[in-house]
Amino acid sequence: MSFVSRGFQGRRKADADAGRIPPGQHATDDFPVLSAGPTPHTSLDIWTFSILLGDEGKSWTWKEFNELPTETVTVDIHCVTRWSKLDTVWRGVSVDTLLDEVEHDAAYVLAFCDGGYTTNLPLEDVTGGKAWIAFEYDGEPLDPEHGGPARLLVPHLYFWKSAKWVRGLKLLDEDEPGFWETYGYHMYGDPWREQRYAGD
Amino acid sequence: MVVTAVTDETPRVRTLQLAVDDWPGHRAGQHVDVRLTAEDGYQAERAYSIASAPGEPPAITVERLDDGEVSPYLTEEVRTSDRFEVRGPIGGYFVWRSESSDPLLLVGGGSGVVPLRAMLRHRARSASTARARLLYSSRSLADVIYRSELEQLANGVDVVFTLTREQPPSWSGYTRRVDTELLREVAWPAEHGALAYVCGPTSFVEAVAEGLVALGYPPARVKTERFGATGGR
Amino acid sequence: MDTLDGNAIGGLLREVFAVEMTDATGVCGHCNNEAPVAECEVYLGGPGAVVRCRTCQGLLMVFVRVRGVLCVDLGGLQTLERAPSS
């Protein structure tokens, strides 16, 4: 039994451009911190990012990673918990740049992270300028709470796919469910088709 | 449930007296889950400790968080006869029973004092003879919740305040965050076999619990309830 | 970030088990640490509620509401024992 609480609105922005808000979402000015575990604190001395194909692949140290070309992008992000944040600014290395270094014909990736979090995506959703390994948010180094030193950024899908504390991408032939996908969240996660849960 | 009375405790903190259908009674230290529903169906839920003693009607004390979603509504908008959903009472671990005769140590930070106040009210109403001591950390005197009630406690209850950000000119009490040294001076010695309840922001609770264990309190005698970084849940 | 403890999911646990469970004792399946559920680490606000061992951060329980249905994974626990009723 739910009944309306007189005058309750929450902290939603009333004036957001409705065309930019996917179904079931509301705009916010906040940037909520949501996690499945404690914030890792990996020293940049030992941090690496890897693209793995079986046991092989390519790895970059933090220093090498910072020598790669970067892009600054302004994107809207949509969390499955129903908040959307418009015009967020990130700087990162395009995943295309990283995947160009490895020969493969994989169809899927599994992002893996410090702390054990994983999430899966089709290869074509992290290529063609759709995904970055982001290390700056709003002009500042990415806060550990928000995934720093670096997180995956895939804004066209629900934000649980933008894995925090990302350490690499495993290249796979088959789609393999990651952390939340294993618990019933959608394998793909398109906010515009409201693909929150498996079977949506 | 319906709000029957609203009391401002401090500039940011308000107590809501509730009348809940079929309220089964509660224990000191328990909480309720409050759920609010907007006209378009949007919902938000938060947990709030029950501020009243068993036998009294349920009441919750809410601190307004600047970036909060629910607390600004509960502390600024809600009026008597407003209704919202309440689930509870909930809790079985962070609960003090008046049958306990062991010395009681209550350590609260900010709004963490709320369930501890319920325990003290329960102690008074049940004529318990357990010695009790409350160590309460607040930013300033104006932020001390239930101040006049706490200052008037007698009958075997000590209340020690520490004001960490601002103190009145005549203040001769503690002025720093609770650390192991302060606990050594205030807490019952470990040999007294006290039962400790620690509640407040997560970092506060963890520092205090660690301090009490360092002073010799068995971990099983230190009960903790974390309210998150900003004091709300 | 607000890392909470098992007290914060007291209501959720009642929904699942129909009885009070914050004072239940869990044994971690990863490191064998024994603790009351109330003392476990809890991560809320995301797609689900995640409960971890305070000693080893191993995953103990995950709660997800899928289209209104509450789904629970207790696989990280070795055992979960209700407190004796008082």
Side-chain angles (χ1 to χ4, degrees):
Chain A
M1 189 239 344
S2 285
F3 48 83
V4 171
S5 316
R6 181 199 59 79
F8 175 64
Q9 279 300 312
R11 280 178 57 80
R12 299 169 293 162
K13 273 168 69 81
D15 57 350
D17 179 353
R20 290 169 68 181
I21 310 294
Q25 302 286 110
H26 60 265
T28 184
D29 286 328
D30 300 330
F31 196 172
V33 174
L34 309 171
S35 295
T39 301
H41 294 282
T42 302
S43 156
L44 296 178
D45 295 335
I46 60 168
W47 184 96
T48 56
F49 183 87
S50 311
I51 304 278
L52 298 179
L53 187 61
D55 294 326
E56 317 208 324
K58 174 123 173 83
S59 229
W60 291 262
T61 61
W62 182 252
K63 181 169 183 294
E64 291 164 343
F65 185 76
N66 276 275
E67 285 159 4
L68 297 170
T70 64
E71 292 171 17
T72 298
V73 296
T74 301
V75 296
D76 297 341
I77 61 180
H78 311 290
C79 180
V80 74
T81 61
R82 301 185 182 268
W83 58 265
S84 288
K85 193 166 167 64
L86 306 183
D87 298 321
T88 60
V89 182
W90 305 80
R91 190 156 85 93
V93 175
S94 169
V95 173
D96 292 294
T97 303
L98 299 160
L99 285 175
D100 281 346
E101 300 288 318
V102 179
E103 284 218 17
H104 69 92
D105 57 2
Y108 297 95
V109 300
L110 183 72
F112 58 91
C113 313
D114 283 332
Y117 184 78
T118 55
T119 190
N120 56 305
L121 304 108
L123 188 85
E124 60 178 49
D125 288 89
V126 294
T127 50
K130 296 192 220 73
W132 297 266
I133 304 301
F135 53 87
E136 263 181 34
Y137 169 72
D138 219 20
E140 299 287 325
L142 185 60
D143 203 277
E145 280 194 347
H146 283 300
R151 75 180 297 163
L152 180 59
L153 175 66
V154 190
H156 71 283
L157 299 175
Y158 279 121
F159 216 51
W160 89 74
K161 298 279 184 183
S162 290
K164 298 201 283 193
W165 311 302
V166 73
R167 295 295 300 274
L169 300 176
K170 260 167 73 167
L171 295 169
L172 303 169
D173 296 323
E174 310 271 321
D175 204 5
E176 229 180 78
F179 185 88
W180 288 120
E181 296 84 1
T182 304
Y183 287 114
Y185 279 86
H186 202 275
M187 289 286 268
Y188 185 67
D190 179 357
W192 294 99
R193 286 180 284 166
E194 222 174 343
Q195 293 175 337
R196 299 178 197 271
Y197 308 109
D200 279 345
Chain B
M1 69 101 278
V2 68
V3 177
T4 56
V6 165
T7 308
D8 285 329
E9 305 282 357
T10 75
R12 307 165 59 86
V13 176
R14 177 179 277 192
T15 293
L16 306 179
Q17 293 284 346
L18 312 176
V20 182
D21 294 336
D22 303 318
W23 182 249
H26 64 279
R27 296 190 188 273
Q30 287 188 309
H31 66 266
V32 291
D33 286 343
V34 168
R35 181 158 66 183
L36 304 176
T37 307
E39 272 181 23
D40 62 357
Y42 175 80
Q43 291 191 324
E45 193 174 302
R46 295 293 185 277
Y48 292 103
S49 291
I50 300 168
S52 53
E56 297 182 305
I60 56 174
T61 299
V62 180
E63 176 179 7
R64 178 175 59 77
L65 304 179
D66 291 328
D67 57 351
E69 188 172 37
V70 169
S71 62
Y73 174 76
L74 295 177
T75 53
E76 291 168 348
E77 182 64 40
V78 162
R79 311 195 275 255
T80 58
S81 74
D82 272 341
R83 321 178 76 92
F84 44 82
E85 285 177 83
V86 154
R87 168 168 73 169
I90 298 160
Y93 158 92
F94 199 79
V95 159
W96 180 75
R97 292 169 173 74
S98 56
E99 293 85 357
S100 168
S101 54
D102 294 327
L104 183 57
L105 177 69
L106 307 174
V107 187
S111 56
V113 75
V114 176
L116 308 181
R117 183 252 201 170
M119 293 177 186
L120 286 173
R121 285 178 80 88
H122 183 43
R123 184 190 164 280
R125 287 168 57 93
S126 57
S128 158
T129 54
R131 287 174 293 151
R133 187 167 290 166
L134 169 67
L135 171 57
Y136 180 12
S137 175
S138 309
R139 280 177 286 238
S140 70
L141 207 50
D143 291 307
V144 171
I145 310 169
Y146 318 124
R147 183 178 156 198
S148 53
E149 182 177 318
L150 295 177
E151 283 173 342
Q152 286 167 50
L153 289 174
N155 295 331
V157 184
D158 305 320
V159 180
V160 176
F161 297 104
T162 178
L163 305 180
T164 61
R165 209 177 279 181
E166 211 184 283
Q167 304 86 26
S170 53
W171 185 252
S172 57
Y174 290 106
T175 60
R176 66 185 198 276
R177 290 171 188 253
V178 177
D179 52 33
T180 307
E181 215 21 69
L182 207 161
L183 286 168
R184 192 193 311 277
E185 291 166 22
V186 174
W188 302 112
E191 317 82 74
H192 290 207
L195 191 49
Y197 292 84
V198 186
C199 185
T202 295
S203 53
F204 173 88
V205 168
E206 294 188 346
V208 171
E210 230 178 84
L212 288 174
V213 169
L215 291 173
Y217 277 60
R221 302 288 286 175
V222 179
K223 299 204 181 236
T224 51
E225 181 154 280
R226 294 162 180 77
F227 276 5
T230 47
R233 275 178 299 159
Chain C
M1 179 170 60
D2 298 20
T3 303
L4 301 171
D5 57 35
N7 292 294
I9 54 165
L12 192 57
L13 290 167
R14 275 195 174 233
E15 220 182 300
V16 171
F17 294 97
V19 291
E20 180 58 49
M21 288 296 278
T22 55
D23 52 354
T25 301
V27 174
C28 176
H30 313 277
C31 75
N32 292 323
N33 184 57
E34 192 176 295
V37 169
E39 292 179 5
C40 296
E41 292 183 1
V42 165
Y43 299 89
L44 288 184
V50 176
V51 182
R52 292 182 178 273
C53 173
R54 192 164 289 284
T55 302
C56 75
Q57 275 72 54
L59 199 61
L60 297 180
M61 302 187 261
V62 179
F63 301 82
V64 169
R65 214 176 284 269
V66 176
R67 285 188 283 269
V69 177
L70 191 50
C71 308
V72 185
D73 178 4
L74 304 176
L77 286 166
Q78 210 179 113
T79 58
L80 179 63
E81 202 175 305
R82 247 186 98 181
S85 325
S86 42

